[in-house]
């Protein structure tokens, strides 16, 4: 074979070998990140990786010329630079809270549980009769700030005469962070009881949405917390306990997930550090309290665009190309690590069905036609809570039922207020307990 062919082949071979070596070092680094749980912001794994790579390069080059000895160091330099980008923060490592909203005052309350939460109050306005019992809103997430879209819905309820209070869970929005090991579904339930107690207005009505509905469901199964509640609206609930969380599969009509345009805006996952951290946490390979990215830094880094198709999954397929902006970049807040921690405590919890069967708080269940939630998450509550007085199956909407499209928010408000005032339901009471098998069969 002529030299003119041999030289390029040798060059290609060396390039491929160097690339394989660099990839191998990066894989070794990631394995060490997992093994060390990201200790020291990842520098523990980085130091070992570079040290091992340098020793290997010295051994490989010991019988070569001085120029040849440099060749094994090329993949070391490439891998060291790539992996170093995982160890260096690109956002502040102390919590940067969202600025105040222009349309509502943010208060901070210290609860008896130790949580310090951001509180929003919408006093009754408009010409409708004032309702004596306060309404407390529990938003979804878990550990996510209340979106501007949800704030607008709360304003709608206030215009209908309701004295509306909302607070962001500890760690979410403008609420203070907790040590990671203190986040749990039980803490969320206790915070609800402590909040109503501090409000000091007697029993309240409560509206829980998504993971907030799961908190409310567990509150109904806890006599001490349920004593604070007059009526409860459970809207599109997440799983209430470990056995329910392990149910998979059956959902509502197709959502906009996978067909809606991709969310625009910056993504933290475009940075190697946060792509690795959030990816490994989601896979369960890094603990929420890992040493790679601290809770505050992770909160600062995470953006709405990082949710990807999760937002689209809250809308019906027919709404895929008109999904509203739910939040502003300045108001958006989500703690991925704390959220995973709370979800894990739900998965690890035993069944609450025996306690829920003793509930006496009048409740209503709301289920969306295009729900992205597993159907049995809602029907399990219906089957086990004897105090559910009505179920409202909401046609034409996805998981986020009061989404500002068409008359969806108006219809959701009508369903909620009718139940709170013990007036006839705008929709048929469906499904009832006897309908559950047929509902699961027919509404897929």
């Amino acid at each position: 074979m002529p030299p003119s062919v041999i030289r390029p082949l040798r060059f290609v071979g060396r390039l491929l070998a160097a690339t394989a070596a660099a990839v191998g070092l990066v894989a070794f680094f990631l394995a060490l990140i997992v093994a060390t749980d990201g200790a020291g912001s990842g520098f523990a794994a980085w130091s070992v990786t570079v040290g091992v790579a340098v020793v290997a390069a010295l051994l490989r080059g010991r019988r070569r010329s001085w120029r040849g000895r440099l060749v094994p160091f090329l993949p070391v330099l490439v891998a060291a630079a790539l992996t170093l980008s995982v160890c260096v923060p690109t956002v502040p490592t102390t919590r940067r809270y969202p600025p105040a909203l222009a349309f509502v005052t943010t208060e901070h309350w210290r609860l008896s549980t130790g949580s310090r939460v951001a509180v929003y109050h919408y006093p009754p306005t408009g010409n409708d009769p004032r309702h004596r019992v306060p309404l407390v809103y529990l938003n979804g997430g878990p550990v996510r700030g209340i979106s501007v879209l949800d704030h607008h819905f709360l304003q709608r309820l206030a215009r209908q005469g309701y004295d509306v209070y909302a607070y962001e869970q500890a760690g979410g929005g403008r609420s203070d962070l907790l040590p990671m090991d203190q986040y749990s579904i039980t803490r969320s339930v206790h915070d609800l009881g402590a909040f109503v107690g501090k409000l000091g207005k007697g029993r309240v009505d409560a509206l829980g949405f998504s993971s907030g509905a799961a908190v409310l469901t567990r509150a109904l199964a806890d006599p001490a917390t349920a004593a604070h509640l007059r009526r409860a609206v459970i809207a599109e609930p997440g799983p209430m306990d470990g056995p329910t969380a392990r149910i998979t599969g059956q959902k509502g009509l197709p959502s906009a997930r996978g067909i809606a345009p991709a969310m625009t805006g910056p993504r933290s996952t475009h940075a190697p550090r946060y792509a690795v951290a959030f990816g490994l946490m989601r896979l369960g390979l890094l603990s929420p309290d890992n040493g790679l990215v601290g809770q505050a830094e992770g909160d600062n880094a995470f953006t709405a665009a990082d949710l990807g198709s999760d937002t689209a999954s809250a809308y019906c397929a027919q709404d895929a190309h008109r999904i509203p902006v739910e939040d502003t970049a300045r108001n958006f807040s989500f703690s991925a690590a704390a959220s995973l921690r709370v979800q894990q405590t739900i998965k690890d919890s035993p069944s609450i069905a025996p306690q829920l069967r003793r509930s006496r708080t009048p409740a209503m269940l709301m289920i969306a036609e295009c729900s992205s939630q597993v159907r049995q998450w809602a029907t399990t509550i219906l089957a086990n809570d004897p105090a559910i007085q009505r179920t409202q199956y909401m046609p034409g909407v996805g998981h986020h039922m009061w989404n500002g499209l068409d008359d969806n928010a108006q219809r959701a408000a009508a369903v909620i207020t009718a139940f709170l005032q013990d007036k006839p339901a705008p929709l048929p009471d469906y499904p009832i307990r006897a309908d559950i098998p047929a509902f699961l069969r027919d509404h897929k």
Side-chain angles (χ1 to χ4, degrees):
M1 189 174 292
S4 60
V5 175
I6 293 174
R7 290 192 188 96
L9 288 177
R10 284 178 177 170
F11 174 78
V12 171
R14 289 170 181 166
L15 181 62
L16 290 174
T19 302
V23 171
L25 288 171
V26 170
F28 179 64
F29 167 77
L30 293 176
L32 286 176
I33 287 287
V34 173
T36 62
D37 204 29
S41 195
F43 278 107
W46 186 83
S47 300
V48 173
T49 301
V50 172
V52 169
V54 167
V55 170
L58 288 171
L59 292 175
R60 288 184 61 197
R62 60 183 174 176
R63 294 180 181 177
R64 302 182 183 182
S65 65
W66 70 270
R67 288 184 178 177
R69 292 174 184 174
L70 296 177
V71 174
F73 283 92
L74 292 177
V76 177
L77 292 174
V78 172
L82 289 174
T83 53
L84 185 62
S85 66
V86 177
C87 304
V88 179
T90 59
V91 300
T93 56
T94 55
R95 184 70 175 108
R96 297 292 187 264
Y97 293 95
L101 292 165
F103 51 81
V104 64
T105 300
T106 306
E107 299 180 22
H108 285 89
W109 291 8
R110 175 73 66 180
L111 305 181
S112 59
T113 56
S115 300
R116 185 173 180 269
V117 298
V119 180
Y120 309 93
H121 180 209
Y122 292 103
T125 60
N127 297 320
D128 287 357
R130 302 295 194 260
H131 301 285
R132 178 181 56 82
V133 179
L135 174 62
V136 174
Y137 176 61
L138 302 171
N139 67 300
V143 200
R144 180 175 175 176
I146 300 175
S147 70
V148 170
L149 188 62
D150 279 7
H151 276 289
H152 290 164
F153 185 67
L154 300 181
Q155 290 174 315
R156 172 186 287 273
L157 295 175
R159 288 195 297 270
Q160 294 180 241
Y162 288 90
D163 191 18
V164 182
Y165 288 84
Y167 68 94
E168 289 165 321
Q169 296 175 52
R174 296 165 183 81
S175 294
D176 286 5
L177 307 182
L178 294 175
M180 190 59 68
D181 62 359
Q182 291 188 24
Y183 290 105
S184 71
I185 188 63
T186 300
R187 175 64 170 263
S188 298
V189 172
H190 292 168
D191 279 353
L192 170 60
F195 178 83
V196 178
K198 189 173 181 67
L199 185 60
K201 296 191 176 183
R203 292 195 302 164
V204 304
D205 294 331
L207 165 62
F209 167 65
S210 193
S211 64
V215 173
L216 183 54
T217 300
R218 293 182 71 99
L220 296 176
D222 177 56
T225 308
H228 293 285
L229 306 176
R230 186 189 74 105
R231 287 185 169 240
V233 178
I234 303 167
E236 279 288 283
M240 68 181 191
D241 54 23
T244 311
R246 288 188 281 275
I247 299 173
T248 59
Q250 193 167 332
K251 300 182 181 180
L253 294 183
S255 74
R257 189 184 189 103
I259 56 177
M263 290 189 68
T264 59
R267 295 175 183 261
S268 69
T269 47
H270 286 170
R273 177 172 175 81
Y274 306 111
V276 168
F278 295 141
L280 292 178
M281 276 193 284
R282 186 149 193 171
L283 291 171
L285 299 176
L286 276 185
S287 70
D289 197 18
N290 66 83
L292 180 60
V293 173
Q295 180 187 174
E297 181 189 350
D299 290 6
N300 293 337
F302 204 93
T303 69
D306 287 323
L307 292 173
S309 57
D310 283 356
T311 297
S313 70
Y315 293 82
C316 290
Q318 64 264 27
D319 296 327
H321 295 280
R322 59 171 194 153
I323 293 175
V325 176
E326 294 191 342
D327 212 349
T328 64
R330 286 167 59 82
N331 183 64
F332 177 82
S333 171
F334 180 66
S335 177
S339 180
L340 288 171
R341 163 74 183 167
V342 173
Q343 292 177 60
Q344 189 60 51
T345 65
I346 296 173
K347 294 175 183 177
D348 293 340
S349 68
S351 172
I352 65 166
Q355 293 83 9
L356 190 59
R357 293 187 192 115
R358 294 194 289 269
S359 175
R360 296 295 178 266
T361 304
M364 177 179 73
L365 183 64
M366 296 176 69
I367 304 175
E369 183 177 37
C370 307
S371 177
S372 56
Q373 306 287 79
V374 174
R375 288 296 196 197
Q376 288 90 334
W377 293 352
T379 58
T380 299
I381 297 172
L382 177 60
N384 288 285
D385 185 351
I388 290 181
Q389 297 182 345
R390 65 178 72 167
T391 303
Q392 300 284 269
Y393 179 70
M394 306 292 291
V397 294
H399 179 58
H400 204 162
M401 292 181 287
W402 41 83
N403 53 36
L405 297 176
D406 304 325
D407 64 344
N408 293 339
Q410 178 182 339
R411 290 192 296 126
V415 163
I416 293 166
T417 57
F419 173 71
L420 295 181
Q421 297 175 41
D422 199 21
K423 292 182 177 180
L427 298 172
D429 184 11
Y430 175 80
I432 60 175
R433 290 174 189 84
D435 295 328
I436 291 176
F439 175 78
L440 294 175
R441 182 184 66 245
D442 299 337
H443 294 272
K444 299 181 181 179

